[in-house]
Amino acid sequence: MTESSIQVAVRIRPLNAREVSLLAPVDTSQPFQGDGGLAGSPSKAQNAIAAMRTNYIRNILSPVDDRVLVFDPAEPAAQIRGQKQQPTTHMHIHGNGRRARDVRYAFDRVFPPTTTQQEVYRGTVEPMLTGLLSGFNASVFAYGATGCGKTHTISGSSEDPGLIFLTMRGLYERIEEDRDQYETHVRLSYLEIYNETIRDLLSPTPTPPGPGLALREDAASKISVVGITEHIPESPEQVLEMITEGNKRRTQSPTEANAVSSRSHAVLQLNVTRKPRTAGTVEEMSSASLNIIDLAGSERASATNNQGMRMKEGANINRSLLALGSCINALCQTGGARNVKGRHIPYRNSKLTRLLKFSLGGNCKTVMIVCVSPSSAHYEETHNTLKYANQAKNIQTKVTRNLLHIDRHVAQYVQAIASLRQEVQELKEKLASTGGADTPAERRKRDALLADATHQLQDAATAQRDALRQAATDAAPLHAAEAVRSALRDAVDTSAAPDRAILESLLAQTPDVVAPPEDTYRLAAIPLPPALAADTTYTALYAARHAHFEANLAAEARAAALQAARQLLQDTIGRRLIDLALGTAHATQALRSAAARLDNDLTDDDRVALAADLRAAGERGTAALQQAMGAHVPDNVPVVRKVAHPSPARRVRPSLGPRSTGDAARFMRLASPRRRTLRPSIAARHRNIGGTPLVVPDTAKDAKPSAAPTAPTVPPKPRASLAPGVQKSLAPRPSVAPAPRRSVVPTDVPARAVEPKKAPADLRRTLPDRPRKPVTAPADSVRKPAVFDKAAEPSLPENRAAERRAAERRPEKRSAEVVPGAARAPPAAPPAVSRTRPESDTRSMRHALPSDTSDDPVQPVSTSPVASTEPVHSPTLSKRPTSPARPPSTSPSAASRGGTGVKRRGLFERQFLARPETNDGDSTMDSLLHTDLADLSAQLPREDWQASLLDTPRRTSSSFFTTPSPRGHRSRESREMPA
Ligand SMILES: Nc1ncnc2c1ncn2[C@@H]1O[C@H](COP(=O)(O)OP(=O)(O)OP(=O)(O)O)[C@@H](O)[C@H]1O
């Protein structure tokens, strides 16, 4: 227990605007002295000023420092002059005529008019909060005359809150600071004492009229209000809202002194209980109450001029305040709380003093905030208030701490343990939710594990990506092979038996496409370490990274698929390659057949030369084909490369093998059904070599014999049996009218123009073997058709000599038929037919001319430049004189076609040897030419011989098999256009 005095603080409110306007001006005039000087009797002006000053007010409070103030201080001017103080205006007003008191009062605190609410709070209530939370009761009440600022100090406004709000805010701040150590509860009630009745200001239902709420004093001498509502605020703002609502219910009425005068005493009571969180054998709980009281203002009835209810209110207010003053006097006279036991303190004279019983003289720290007005208009009220306050500061109170020491029962320990366990569990959950359960070391370890798993995942993704790229690269030829296989299958379905055998052989050697498995692009998951798998956060992180890598793989797969699609699109040309392969097969077969035939008849030099020429021609034909197709056909195209060569095919020298379909197309003409029909001699030769198997020569260096079945010699193949691509390439060309052909006009040719050459042995063997009727030529001069007869082979020296001898034996007959100048004319006339030639003759010529390709069943796929059958004027021809008996030549010249002299040579031979009928002149010419055939053949260049051998169609000879030879051109020109 400690003794304490009531803390008295005086707050001087500022002058309001009205009061400021009534402040008297400072009188600086000189007093009249009466002796002719200034101190004489006052003038009229001075009297007028003095009269005006009766309406002025002046400041009657002058704070000296924060503890002392001067009531009714002397005016500064009088003090300066050292004269007696003049009566103040209010002395005149109040008529007391007394001199200024100039009384000094000392208090615990003096707050000048400029003091803020915060400063008042810090100087009054704040020091008591610590004691309140420790169990010391406390009271703060505002005392003073009406309109002096009590309500403003206690409640304030929302813009400038007063002590209630500031106190609650400070209290909650301290509670929050000690929350971990103490458990604190605050209960709040707010009431008013109006006309000696107590009303609850926070109850939603207003207190019924009548006696109001009753006061009760318990055994502990604690005063409580029966039926008052208590509230537990959560924040100081909520308290402010409560107080604002309560003040609205408080009785307020405008008076002359205060427009918002409170007509009741308002009491805010806070009950604060606190106990430490640490459990002990004895529970120590503190309990204290804080009363914040806003008293109603005392008022002088004469000053307020209140009437009726206001007067009654004022009387009750004054009565309660008088009771309060009486208690204060009694407390002061008895020495305060120390002697209260033997003295009577009239607390029961009013509800107010009963309520403040322990705040004034009991176990309580009390602060009295005395609100005073500095205006001289409240001179008496202020003076009385200061006298009360000065007396109240002498009141002594005994302050004891309110502690409850409660021995705990065993059951309470069980309850405390359960409470502590629950608290521990809550703390653990809180730590787990914030991730604070892991130590930094554990987190680093988990992060390292996750990084390791991620690296493994990345390595797997990288390896799979590389495999994906390789698979895409490997798939490109597979797609190409599949395209080829598809084309082959189509060709097999639509081809005749021989072709089908070839195509099936190719198909068997074309690899299958192996589709990748569906999960090729799926990224396998790397198993997570258990330490990570148990943590949802890490598993989510790993799953996200796995998805990231798999998405990258999917992107790679899409790119690869796109590339494969492009490749497949490009590989559609594989179908055309099938056509090419088919043509090559036919050509190879035909070439081998022809080569087999020739092999028996050629000398070694001829074979070598023939092979070289064929190879060169094949290469040119291949190039032409590729150019025409618009695509490059590599040597390793599976269709060609995969064809096997059975050993019997090796009978043909590899050097003789054609290398392109250009050869094929040419040789297929030999195998065409029409050719067989028209040329039984050729067919017979084919039959003779029928045992030669059909093979497709391999152009690859590493070609190996295969067990693939070989096709027999290709029989005449119907057009409809060809593959679609082939059919397309073999589509009938626009029909072309037969070119007008010139009749052979024997002309004189200078002997030097014809250079003797060695003719091939089988030149005449290739001539048309159709039966013909010799007209003028002797029977022995007619070529032996059909079967090859070595005895009739003009290439043999013995035969050539015999032929010359036979010619010499009939000189007279030849001379009779020969036109002068035509004996040495070369049979180089272009294969033109005279317009006057009979139709039958023309047909026979066409039969003898395989160059008419319009009805050829097998055409090479070449789209090489085709020599027009229309007459083309040749500049070379135009320079040369033509025979007047014959029209100028309109056939394509050798120069314009770049080497068709070979064709003409073959035509010439056939025309000369196979013409069935002619007129007399022609017959004579034919006889002469026939006689000189051997010599002329000897003069042919080798390529001409070759062309004749192959019986090259005119339209393709220039592009495929004829080697342009300037020398040959010159010789042909000299033959075609004799002077
Ligand atoms: N310190 C101050 N600063 C500014 N204005 C003040 C101050 N004190 C009082 N006032 C103003 O003076 C007027 C009267 O104040 P207030 O109502 O608080 O007086 P009161 O003592 O409560 O009167 P009553 O006893 O009649 O209720 C109010 O308008 C208030 O705003």
Side-chain angles (χ1 to χ4, degrees):
M1 180 181 294
T2 58
E3 290 189 358
S4 173
S5 301
I6 292 180
Q7 301 291 315
V8 178
V10 177
R11 184 180 191 186
I12 306 172
R13 74 162 174 83
L15 295 172
N16 55 35
R18 177 174 171 274
E19 292 168 340
V20 170
S21 65
L22 292 177
L23 275 176
V26 178
D27 183 10
T28 57
S29 61
Q30 295 294 325
F32 181 71
Q33 299 296 326
D35 52 355
L38 294 177
S41 59
S43 63
K44 293 182 178 179
Q46 288 177 320
N47 291 332
I49 293 174
M52 291 174 58
R53 292 176 66 182
T54 57
N55 296 323
Y56 291 154
I57 64 171
R58 66 182 179 92
N59 195 333
I60 59 173
L61 293 176
S62 174
V64 177
D65 54 24
D66 60 346
R67 296 176 64 94
V68 178
L69 63 81
V70 178
F71 173 73
D72 192 12
E75 290 186 359
Q79 295 174 354
I80 292 173
R81 290 197 299 268
Q83 297 178 355
K84 293 169 67 176
Q85 179 140 9
Q86 298 295 320
T88 61
T89 306
H90 286 282
M91 290 175 185
H92 292 293
I93 292 174
H94 298 293
N96 53 20
R98 294 180 300 182
R99 298 167 49 189
R101 292 184 174 85
D102 194 13
V103 182
R104 289 179 177 253
Y105 291 99
F107 299 101
D108 295 296
R109 286 295 303 267
V110 174
F111 298 111
T114 57
T115 305
T116 63
Q117 303 278 61
Q118 281 284 345
E119 291 170 345
V120 174
Y121 163 72
R122 293 192 189 108
T124 55
V125 183
E126 187 180 41
M128 296 193 301
L129 290 183
T130 303
L132 178 68
L133 291 173
S134 300
F136 294 97
N137 296 328
S139 293
V140 179
F141 61 90
Y143 177 85
T146 180
C148 293
K150 299 182 293 295
T151 304
H152 175 79
T153 300
I154 298 300
S155 299
S157 61
S158 57
E159 297 81 15
D160 191 11
L163 288 180
I164 291 178
F165 173 79
L166 297 177
T167 300
M168 296 305 298
R169 190 173 67 179
L171 181 64
Y172 276 91
E173 288 176 356
R174 292 166 185 264
I175 292 174
E176 192 65 25
E177 290 175 359
D178 301 334
R179 179 175 292 276
D180 295 337
Q181 300 177 18
Y182 298 98
E183 181 180 345
T184 307
H185 299 280
V186 176
R187 290 176 287 120
L188 179 149
S189 61
Y190 193 37
L191 58 89
E192 70 169 353
I193 303 174
Y194 174 70
N195 288 342
E196 290 299 305
T197 58
I198 298 176
R199 297 178 180 178
D200 189 353
L201 294 179
L202 296 183
S203 175
T205 57
T207 303
L213 302 179
L215 291 175
R216 180 185 298 168
E217 183 175 352
D218 58 13
S221 301
K222 182 179 178 182
I223 302 299
S224 60
V225 179
V226 179
I228 193 76
T229 59
E230 290 188 328
H231 304 267
I232 302 177
E234 299 292 336
S235 64
E237 288 76 15
Q238 191 175 2
V239 174
L240 184 61
E241 293 178 2
M242 292 178 178
I243 298 304
T244 303
E245 288 297 319
N247 287 338
K248 291 179 182 177
R249 299 188 183 105
R250 188 180 177 185
T251 304
Q252 292 180 333
S253 299
T255 63
E256 189 175 305
N258 186 1
V260 286
S261 177
S262 302
R263 313 307 293 172
S264 65
H265 309 294
V267 180
L268 174 73
Q269 193 166 47
L270 290 175
N271 292 314
V272 181
T273 58
R274 193 180 208 192
K275 60 182 179 179
R277 292 185 180 275
T278 55
T281 56
V282 177
E283 185 178 61
E284 185 181 79
M285 185 175 68
S286 65
S287 176
S289 62
L290 171 64
N291 295 319
I292 301 177
I293 305 163
D294 177 18
L295 296 175
S298 61
E299 57 187 22
R300 291 185 298 127
S302 58
T304 57
N305 295 322
N306 287 338
Q307 300 293 328
M309 195 62 187
R310 296 288 86 77
M311 183 178 289
K312 181 183 177 182
E313 293 170 353
N316 285 318
I317 292 170
N318 290 335
R319 186 181 303 118
S320 61
L321 289 177
L322 181 61
L324 178 61
S326 300
C327 290
I328 291 174
N329 287 331
L331 289 171
C332 291
Q333 292 173 2
T334 58
R338 285 172 298 179
N339 300 320
V340 70
K341 189 175 180 181
R343 307 281 180 163
H344 174 70
I345 307 299
Y347 292 115
R348 303 190 66 87
N349 289 347
S350 71
K351 295 282 181 65
L352 175 64
T353 52
R354 287 185 64 189
L355 193 63
L356 296 180
K357 176 180 179 181
F358 291 96
S359 299
L360 294 175
N363 179 21
C364 185
K365 290 184 178 180
T366 304
V367 175
M368 177 186 287
I369 301 177
V370 178
C371 297
V372 292
S373 170
S375 170
S376 58
H378 302 139
Y379 188 90
E380 293 297 336
E381 294 86 347
T382 300
H383 192 203
N384 291 333
T385 302
L386 290 177
K387 286 191 294 185
Y388 274 107
N390 192 42
Q391 188 177 5
K393 69 181 182 183
N394 296 322
I395 300 176
Q396 296 291 321
T397 59
K398 291 181 181 178
V399 182
T400 58
R401 187 181 181 192
N402 303 318
L403 290 177
L404 295 175
H405 299 278
I406 305 172
D407 293 338
R408 291 183 180 274
H409 192 266
V410 176
Q412 290 178 313
Y413 285 109
V414 176
Q415 185 179 2
I417 291 172
S419 176
L420 290 175
R421 284 178 175 173
Q422 182 179 359
E423 186 178 5
V424 170
Q425 183 62 27
E426 291 175 357
L427 291 174
K428 284 183 177 178
E429 292 177 356
K430 187 176 180 182
L431 287 174
S433 64
T434 57
D438 285 347
T439 63
E442 290 174 338
R443 280 199 298 273
R444 283 195 295 271
K445 183 179 178 181
R446 290 189 183 189
D447 291 342
L449 289 174
L450 180 64
D452 186 46
T454 304
H455 284 313
Q456 293 182 33
L457 198 63
Q458 188 172 9
D459 292 342
T462 303
Q464 195 159 352
R465 184 196 60 194
D466 294 341
L468 184 66
R469 290 174 176 173
Q470 183 62 39
T473 304
D474 295 341
L478 291 179
H479 286 299
E482 177 58 26
V484 170
R485 286 180 62 85
S486 175
L488 281 172
R489 283 191 289 268
D490 293 343
V492 166
D493 295 340
T494 58
S495 297
D499 292 339
R500 186 182 301 122
I502 299 172
L503 295 172
E504 285 176 350
S505 174
L506 297 175
L507 187 60
Q509 299 173 58
T510 306
D512 284 329
V513 175
V514 180
E518 290 185 357
D519 58 347
T520 298
Y521 309 133
R522 300 286 301 177
L523 179 61
I526 306 298
L528 271 181
L532 295 184
D535 194 317
T536 55
T537 302
Y538 284 95
T539 53
L541 277 174
Y542 175 78
R545 293 178 183 180
H546 182 277
H548 169 73
F549 289 127
E550 198 165 63
N552 286 342
L553 275 180
E556 288 275 352
R558 283 196 297 272
L562 185 62
Q563 178 63 24
R566 290 198 185 104
Q567 187 66 40
L568 190 60
L569 192 61
Q570 294 173 2
D571 290 343
T572 53
I573 198 161
R575 294 179 179 275
R576 302 186 66 180
L577 293 179
I578 293 302
D579 300 340
L580 185 63
L582 188 60
T584 301
H586 286 284
T588 303
Q589 179 186 7
L591 181 61
R592 289 183 58 82
S593 300
R597 292 196 309 271
L598 294 173
D599 195 33
N600 295 326
D601 303 330
L602 296 179
T603 63
D604 291 339
D605 293 339
D606 291 337
R607 289 191 186 99
V608 172
L610 179 60
D613 290 340
L614 288 178
R615 182 179 297 109
E619 292 173 351
R620 287 195 298 277
T622 300
L625 261 183
Q626 291 175 356
Q627 183 180 4
M629 292 175 67
H632 175 67
V633 182
D635 292 338
N636 59 351
V637 171
V639 176
V640 178
R641 184 181 68 242
K642 298 299 180 182
V643 177
H645 298 273
S647 56
R650 292 302 174 189
R651 180 173 174 269
V652 179
R653 297 181 184 182
S655 60
L656 294 177
R659 299 187 62 176
S660 73
T661 55
D663 308 79
R666 186 173 302 282
F667 279 92
M668 287 176 65
R669 304 178 68 80
L670 296 175
S672 65
R674 179 167 184 170
R675 173 68 63 185
R676 291 176 182 278
T677 302
L678 296 178
R679 302 184 67 179
S681 59
I682 299 295
R685 293 176 184 276
H686 286 189
R687 283 192 298 272
N688 291 338
I689 59 174
T692 303
L694 171 65
V695 295
V696 177
D698 190 359
T699 55
K701 295 178 181 179
D702 57 349
K704 296 179 180 179
S706 171
T710 58
T713 302
V714 178
K717 184 171 65 65
R719 192 186 192 98
S721 65
L722 294 176
V726 179
Q727 291 184 21
K728 184 177 181 180
S729 65
L730 298 181
R733 295 181 176 86
S735 60
V736 179
R741 299 184 178 184
R742 294 186 306 176
S743 300
V744 176
V745 180
T747 54
D748 292 332
V749 178
R752 62 180 182 275
V754 179
E755 297 178 3
K757 281 194 175 182
K758 184 178 181 180
D762 60 346
L763 175 61
R764 276 168 290 187
R765 187 163 48 86
T766 64
L767 295 178
D769 50 5
R770 62 190 292 269
R772 62 187 181 278
K773 181 176 67 177
V775 179
T776 56
D780 57 353
S781 65
V782 178
R783 299 287 300 174
K784 293 181 179 179
V787 180
F788 175 75
D789 186 2
K790 189 175 182 181
E793 181 55 49
S795 62
L796 300 178
E798 58 274 20
N799 294 346
R800 200 178 302 169
E803 192 173 2
R804 275 198 300 270
R805 286 192 299 271
E808 291 173 353
R809 282 196 296 270
R810 50 181 187 275
E812 63 286 356
K813 190 172 183 178
R814 289 177 58 193
S815 61
E817 298 173 351
V818 169
V819 176
R824 293 184 296 274
V833 178
S834 172
R835 295 178 185 275
T836 59
R837 182 179 296 275
E839 183 61 23
S840 59
D841 191 12
T842 303
R843 284 196 302 271
S844 66
M845 291 291 292
R846 295 184 62 187
H847 287 175
L849 292 176
S851 60
D852 190 351
T853 59
S854 60
D855 54 353
D856 197 333
V858 178
Q859 284 287 345
V861 294
S862 168
T863 55
S864 61
V866 178
S868 172
T869 56
E870 292 297 327
V872 176
H873 178 69
S874 172
T876 304
L877 295 177
S878 63
K879 293 178 182 179
R880 298 181 179 274
T882 56
S883 171
R886 301 287 182 183
S889 173
T890 56
S891 65
S893 67
S896 62
R897 291 197 303 269
T900 53
V902 175
K903 164 70 66 182
R904 294 195 183 95
R905 175 55 184 160
L907 288 174
F908 169 74
E909 290 181 352
R910 289 192 295 276
Q911 189 176 17
F912 177 76
L913 295 176
R915 184 191 300 170
E917 69 278 345
T918 181
N919 54 28
D920 294 342
D922 290 339
S923 299
T924 302
M925 181 64 68
D926 289 346
S927 299
L928 292 175
L929 293 176
H930 181 72
T931 302
D932 293 337
L933 177 61
D935 295 335
L936 292 173
S937 299
Q939 298 172 6
L940 286 174
R942 186 169 60 227
E943 53 268 26
D944 290 357
W945 165 84
Q946 172 188 332
S948 300
L949 170 67
L950 300 176
D951 197 12
T952 306
R954 182 175 61 180
R955 295 178 64 176
T956 58
S957 60
S958 60
S959 59
F960 285 164
F961 291 95
T962 302
T963 302
S965 172
R967 181 169 59 89
H969 292 170
R970 286 194 300 270
S971 63
R972 282 194 298 273
E973 288 175 1
S974 62
R975 291 193 300 272
E976 292 168 354
M977 304 303 298

